[in-house]
Amino acid sequence: MANLHEECGVFGIWSPAEQPLAETVYYGLYALQHRGQEGCGIVVNRDGVFSAHKGLGTVGEVFTPAVLADYPQGSMAVGHVRYGTTGGNSLANCQPIVINHRKGKLALCHNGNLSNAYALREELELKGAIFHGTSDTEIIAYLITQSRLSAPSIQAAVSRTMDRLDGAFSLVMMSSAKLIAVRDPYGFRPLCYGKTEDGSYVVASESCALTAVGAEFIRDVAPGELIVIDEMGIHSDTSHCGSRKRAGCVFEYIYFARPDSVVDGISVHGARKMAGRLLAKRHPVEADLVVGVPDSGLDAALGYAQEAGIPYGQGMIKNKYIGRTFISPGQGNRVNQVKIKLSAIAEEVAGKRIVLIDDSIVRGTTSKKIVTLLREAGAKEIHMRISSPPFVSPCYYGTDVDSKEHLIACHHTVEEIADIIGADSLGYLAADDLRQMTGALSCCHACFGGEYPTPVPECIAKDRFERPLSERPPKKKK
């Protein structure tokens, strides 16, 4: 249960006939709710007329039955769930972003984080661009509409914009007549598509969202690929594919993605079980019970138990009505939610030596609380095992860990961290084990070692577009 913030989930659908698509997007976003709970939005396209609604909160909070009933039927729709890694939690930063332009409308959804966002925004502002929000998604929308003035088509404008962007961007967007999906050449964030029995095409961040709306998975969008879906069918532009070395985020497999998803051909559930098996080989310990921290530690705990031959048990219960701890902004909120989110089952853990499996330790506050819960329930020993290496470097591609300041592994040894969280021992997955967990797939491991696939951004803070003037980097002169 990492104190990490991942950005967003995107969803889009193209239908051969008008139907109540808002409901379909609603179910798709529910399946992606784990990727963001700050805000959400849905835009439906009916014959070129866009109907939009978005708000702060979860899908169920924002899209009441009355709101969904107000949507018209349509032939296309896009939706988004958000946790912002660039820009604050405000309605202006909620997506989809809708653009009204002389070349036509555009509704844009973005998952990821641009590593060159600051430079691009400064360039656009010097040319007279006016921004309504503080997210990097608005930068993408500006570049597309700017390119659209001279490009022969919307897909050509998107292709030109891809040349300007660096970092992570999985995009789903809708023009008046086309549904477009884009994945950055590194493949940082997942994106896939499928098809329903009625001939509708569905694009989503994860395959679990396809399943939720009855769509059969076709394939992942390739890194650098641009897909266009319209009345003529589905078209693929691979001109940007292979322009960068593949660097999919390894943390999708460790924590971000839902266990029932398959990302780039790899089962998330299977990858986490493998991580647990590798942990058992690298950090064995005599114990009576293996317990996973709900929910992201459960698969790795099962793998550890199977490899070590130690019984697997449900030593903790999660309040299913509380969202992911990391979603709530602010350290105070995070700690308070942990207190009501988890409880230990004393009958299972009392008097036993426990192997406690979690996906990561970022700041250490959550881990300390969980260990305390098990101690209070009577656990005799607690040996914590983490299904990822120590988190030692900031991430610029879709999580909001933008400095080393709060990363506990940057300031303490493994033994010291064990003392801080109150565990009898602590063991991490080794960096080399990550490659076994994801097979031959090339992934970004920068958060565990600092080897970044892109240049490090000049301004990295999440609130870089909201800071006081005195704290911002100097503006470039015209």
Side-chain angles (χ1 to χ4, degrees), residues 400-452:
D400 72 348
V401 179
D402 52 17
S403 76
K404 295 185 176 183
E405 181 182 357
H406 299 297
L407 299 178
I408 192 171
C410 289
H411 311 289
H412 299 280
T413 65
V414 174
E415 292 75 17
E416 289 171 343
I417 296 172
D419 288 340
I420 290 170
I421 66 176
D424 293 283
S425 70
L426 173 63
Y428 287 90
L429 194 71
D432 290 343
D433 291 337
L434 291 173
R435 292 169 176 82
Q436 294 188 58
M437 186 180 76
T438 55
L441 189 68
S442 178
C443 291
C444 175
H445 302 161
C447 53
F448 304 126
E451 296 181 10
Y452 296 101

Side-chain angles (χ1 to χ4, degrees), residues 269 273 276-277 290 297-307 312 357:
H269 169 74
K273 277 186 64 179
R277 288 185 175 277
V290 178
L298 299 180
D299 299 307
L302 182 59
Y304 190 105
Q306 291 174 345
E307 183 66 32
Y312 170 85
I357 309 292

Side-chain angles (χ1 to χ4, degrees), residues 162 181-183 219-227 236-238 241:
M162 291 175 68
V182 173
R183 193 175 181 193
R219 66 176 176 88
D220 294 285
V221 178
E225 187 177 14
L226 187 159
I227 289 177
S236 172
D237 177 352
T238 59
C241 295

Side-chain angles (χ1 to χ4, degrees), residues 46-97:
R46 183 178 190 180
D47 194 23
V49 177
F50 286 13
S51 298
H53 180 80
K54 53 186 178 180
L56 300 177
T58 62
V59 175
E61 293 168 339
V62 173
F63 292 101
T64 63
V67 170
L68 289 174
D70 278 343
Y71 275 101
Q73 294 193 5
S75 58
M76 282 186 285
V78 293
H80 188 270
V81 290
R82 180 178 193 267
Y83 182 92
T85 54
T86 298
N89 183 23
S90 69
L91 187 59
N93 289 332
C94 284
Q95 299 179 38
I97 289 179

